[in-house]
């Protein structure tokens, strides 16, 4: 058994670890439907060729320099990401997962900025202020440690 799971074990608390009670307070927003799942790949052309061979409809690649990635959509709900530029935020992930792997899941919320403010107020770490994502609507990412190892993207619902 891991030491931290021992009965009565105390969580280490620092100045930026707010009380669990505050973190788990009822949110001011509702987490909407799963919008997409994103997989980081080392070679986008090879990955899209594979998905096309599997019968999928693949979108043309879209370079997103602000996010350091080039993205393709396989159907509507699978996003493939390839690093773009020297500072790509997915480069370190691909070093750990050289063949590629699940990078993030994305859920919709009605107002990304409001959701991010509510989460930060309760002590959740947001990686960067809201920015336009692959669908041209605002997105934010939570720190993966906040969601038990899976990076969570929140995307503004487009209302369709
Ligand atoms: Co995404």
């Amino acid at each position: 058994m891991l030491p931290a799971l021992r009965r009565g074990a105390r969580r280490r608390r620092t100045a930026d670890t707010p009380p669990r009670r505050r973190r788990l307070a009822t949110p001011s927003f509702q987490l909407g439907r799963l919008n997409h799942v994103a997989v980081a790949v080392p070679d986008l052309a090879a990955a899209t060729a594979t998905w096309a061979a599997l019968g999928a409809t693949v979108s043309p690649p879209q370079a997103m320099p602000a996010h350091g990635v080039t993205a393709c959509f396989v159907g509507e709900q699978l996003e493939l990401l390839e690093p773009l530029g020297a500072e790509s935020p997915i480069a370190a992930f691909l070093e750990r997962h050289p063949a590629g792997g699940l990078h993030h899941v994305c859920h919709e919320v009605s107002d990304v900025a409001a959701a991010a403010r509510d989460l930060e107020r309760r002590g959740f770490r947001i990686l960067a202020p809201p920015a336009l994502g692959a669908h041209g609507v605002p997105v934010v990412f939570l720190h993966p440690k906040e969601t038990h190892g899976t990076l969570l993207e929140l995307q503004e619902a487009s209302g369709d």
Side-chain angles (χ1 to χ4, degrees):
M1 183 180 271
L2 294 169
L5 298 179
R6 270 185 293 120
R7 198 173 186 81
R10 295 229 151 211
R11 283 169 67 96
R12 198 166 55 91
R13 184 167 292 166
T14 61
D16 39 39
T17 312
R20 188 175 154 77
R21 191 171 63 245
R22 169 147 60 102
R23 290 172 66 86
L24 298 183
T26 306
S28 67
F29 63 92
Q30 192 166 20
L31 194 65
R33 70 179 187 114
L34 180 71
N35 181 278
H36 62 271
V37 166
V39 169
V41 296
D43 183 341
L44 192 58
T48 53
T50 298
W51 282 102
L54 291 168
T57 304
V58 181
S59 76
Q62 183 187 354
M64 297 192 292
H67 290 275
V69 295
T70 303
C72 274
F73 272 88
V74 174
E76 291 186 353
Q77 292 184 301
L78 174 61
E79 180 182 39
L80 301 179
L81 301 173
E82 179 187 63
L84 175 65
E87 303 290 303
S88 176
I90 65 170
F93 177 90
L94 282 169
E95 271 170 37
R96 294 194 302 277
H97 308 275
L102 177 65
H103 184 262
H104 67 262
V105 298
C106 176
H107 279 267
E108 296 180 356
V109 294
S110 61
D111 183 334
V112 159
R117 277 195 304 276
D118 176 64
L119 288 164
E120 284 189 307
R121 220 170 12 240
R122 287 186 289 129
F124 285 91
R125 284 166 294 174
I126 304 290
L127 291 182
L132 291 187
H135 290 100
V137 291
V139 301
V140 288
F141 289 89
L142 270 74
H143 192 289
K145 287 201 172 131
E146 303 291 11
T147 42
H148 308 272
T150 300
L151 183 60
L152 174 62
E153 177 181 23
L154 300 178
Q155 175 176 306
E156 196 138 304
S158 54
D160 54 18

